[in-house]
Amino acid sequence: MLKRTLTASIVTVLALGAVSACAGNSGSSGSSGSGGTPTVRLMVGGIDKQIYLPYQLAQNLGFYKKYGVRVELSTEQNGGVGAEEAMASGQVDMAGAWYNHTIEFQAKGKAVEDVVQLSGAPGEREMCTAKSGVKSAADFKGKTLGVTDLGSGTDTLTQFMAAKKGVKTDEFHRLAVGAGSTAVAALQNGKADCVMTTQPTVAAIQKKGVGTSAIDLATTDGAEAALGGAFPAASVLARTDWVNSHKDAVQKVVDALVATMHWIHDHSAADVANELPASFVQNQLVTKADYITALNEDKGQFLPDGIMPAGGPKTSMATEKMVGTVTSSVDLSKTFTNEFAINANKKEGFTTTTTPAGADG
């Protein structure tokens, strides 16, 4: 999972309980609470970032409650355990994380699967200074490129884009810059020529005039142009054994999130922002108006129906192979399932527009 640096205001909000923390929850995961409602603990890899907004939006819209599940949301802290690792170790039941982790886990002998796909693009942009001269990954040679953390998804994508343009990893320098104010400062202070980051940090960089978008990985069209196909990013991951023993709870979570994705598709960026916590959409870096403008620009990353898109797993696997993160064979059919999303769409009579991935990805 991408390591996310939370602002002090966000940390305060979380501490006050705006987002339910899972730490210290001794109740059995997926168990029924009052009235037979199952409880699920879900940790998100940076819950205040635009790429991960559906998890909190579903809570604020009342969709988890509507579909009969109590979801306890938490967020990974900078320097702490990643959401996907917390899920794999059983600290939480589900992770709001990138799909590619399922491939990495399988290569390590761990069975983890993606039960609903929320985005078809990473939601990232390569933000570069004017003097860097970077227009594409072909210009990475000799540059210092900021990533959220070494070994993170942005690190993998940076290396993959470079490799596709024939630039070797040892021909440029990767620097961990976090997100938010630290990513902005890396460009402002000349420590990095470019940083890969998400909204609303992208908007803050543009507003300060310290960088512009050189490579678009924030929309499905941009991902296809830069990566060769749709790149499934934000999703819900869970251990396969837990999914098999908690199918009812999983279905309810997916029902709520699929309804949320259709809601996002049918509403404006302003509508979305109005339903999120105030601390998510405005802080010392961006105003609410900035946040809405940014979401309008990058709203295309979100899939309308929660279905894993055809070709997405193959694109993700290609990045892992080219970068060398995964060297063993992987059965892609075991890394994701569209069963729950298809059921969710049928239940409400939603029209699906995403072409689903087959067993081979």
Side-chain angles (χ1 to χ4, degrees), residues 230-250:
F231 187 94
S235 61
V236 173
L237 311 183
R239 298 179 311 281
T240 298
D241 61 344
W242 189 88
V243 172
N244 291 338
S245 60
H246 296 85
K247 287 197 171 184
D248 180 62
V250 173

Side-chain angles (χ1 to χ4, degrees), residues 275-288:
E275 294 294 340
L276 292 170
S279 57
F280 283 28
V281 300
Q282 57 190 46
N283 51 48
Q284 71 268 30
L285 290 178
V286 293
T287 65
K288 187 173 182 179

